Amino acid sequence: MKINIKKEWILWLLVLAPILYIVYIWNLLPEQIPTHWNYKNEIDAYSGKSSIIIFPAISIGIYLLLLFVPLLDPKKANYDLFTGAYYGIRVGVLAFLDLLFISVMHATLSKSSAWMEYIPSAVCLLFAIIGYYMKGIKPNYFVGIRTPWTIESPEVWEKTHMMGSKLWLYGGLITFVLCLFTGKYSVFVLIPSILILAFVPMIYSYLIYKKLKTE
């Protein structure tokens, strides 16, 4: 897959933003920062402020992983067929990580966990973004709905991703709204939603595969 340098700068900016923000607020941070919240958005774990570097480290790691994954894929030629969709997914993932970082920093500096209530909504929005691009993903071993049946059959792959695209897009948007209205209890909406979004396409791919085999 060819890398478009003119577009890559947006991803570099998303990776660089947390690093610059840490430098800016470093002296404002307390020696102990919250690192975990329970389902009620109550802080239940702290770590030294140096642990904050985990956020840019994760962003850099994810960026490099998504950058080089196509080179490792036996079906790497197919990535050229969905460069736009793959780029959109990469932007969505890194933007989500930045939003997660901002929420943690806001909770730390303001000593309020209010922003953390919106994390489940952000997760749902990420599913919707991936769903929007999913229909364009071509067969590969790393990105998309990879089941034994989609990998085995290009037709099953296509049908599953068309269905999965609609499910993730509309399901993600609906759950996004529900999470906004349920506030600190949104985790109870998020978890079953993730299970549905994960398992329905898997089951669908198996049923389509069996149907095609009997025709």
Side-chain angles (χ1 to χ4, degrees):
M1 184 184 73
K2 297 179 180 179
I3 301 298
N4 188 332
I5 299 299
K6 292 182 179 180
K7 289 185 175 182
E8 206 69 11
W9 70 268
I10 296 177
L11 294 165
W12 296 339
L13 184 60
L14 289 171
V15 171
L16 186 60
I19 299 174
L20 296 177
Y21 190 55
I22 287 175
V23 173
Y24 179 72
I25 67 169
W26 182 258
N27 292 330
L28 301 176
L29 292 172
E31 290 305 314
Q32 294 291 313
I33 63 173
T35 54
H36 191 269
W37 288 258
N38 60 28
Y39 71 96
K40 294 181 179 179
N41 289 318
E42 298 170 342
I43 301 171
D44 57 10
Y46 289 85
S47 295
K49 72 175 183 179
S50 60
S51 64
I52 199 176
I53 64 174
I54 190 65
F55 287 99
I58 290 175
S59 291
I60 292 171
I62 294 295
Y63 170 78
L64 293 175
L65 176 65
L66 296 179
L67 181 65
F68 291 112
V69 148
L71 300 178
L72 304 175
D73 198 320
K75 296 181 181 290
K76 58 184 177 182
N78 279 0
Y79 284 80
D80 288 329
L81 302 177
F82 64 98
T83 53
Y86 190 56
Y87 176 79
I89 291 172
R90 292 169 67 208
V91 170
V93 170
L94 289 174
F96 168 76
L97 291 176
D98 279 3
L99 180 60
L100 180 61
F101 169 73
I102 290 171
S103 297
V104 173
M105 290 302 93
H106 183 271
T108 300
L109 295 174
S110 68
K111 297 182 180 180
S112 170
S113 299
W115 271 37
M116 300 306 294
E117 294 182 7
Y118 298 106
I119 294 300
S121 296
V123 173
C124 297
L125 195 57
L126 178 61
F127 274 109
I129 292 171
I130 295 175
Y132 176 79
Y133 291 108
M134 185 183 291
K135 59 182 179 294
I137 299 175
K138 302 304 178 184
N140 68 90
Y141 286 101
F142 290 106
V143 183
I145 304 169
R146 302 170 313 282
T147 69
W149 311 288
T150 56
I151 295 296
E152 175 71 19
S153 168
E155 186 174 356
V156 173
W157 177 283
E158 182 177 356
K159 289 181 179 294
T160 300
H161 281 75
M162 289 300 292
M163 186 282 295
S165 178
K166 294 178 182 178
L167 177 66
W168 281 41
L169 174 58
Y170 296 116
L173 291 175
I174 291 171
T175 310
F176 167 75
V177 175
L178 291 175
C179 285
L180 287 178
F181 281 101
T182 50
K184 64 181 181 179
Y185 299 105
S186 57
V187 66
F188 296 109
V189 175
L190 177 64
I191 292 176
S193 298
I194 289 177
L195 293 176
I196 292 171
L197 296 179
F199 285 104
V200 169
M202 292 174 59
I203 296 171
Y204 181 82
S205 69
Y206 171 75
L207 295 176
I208 289 296
Y209 180 81
K210 293 294 290 184
K211 179 180 178 181
L212 291 175
K213 281 292 186 180
T214 56
E215 290 180 350

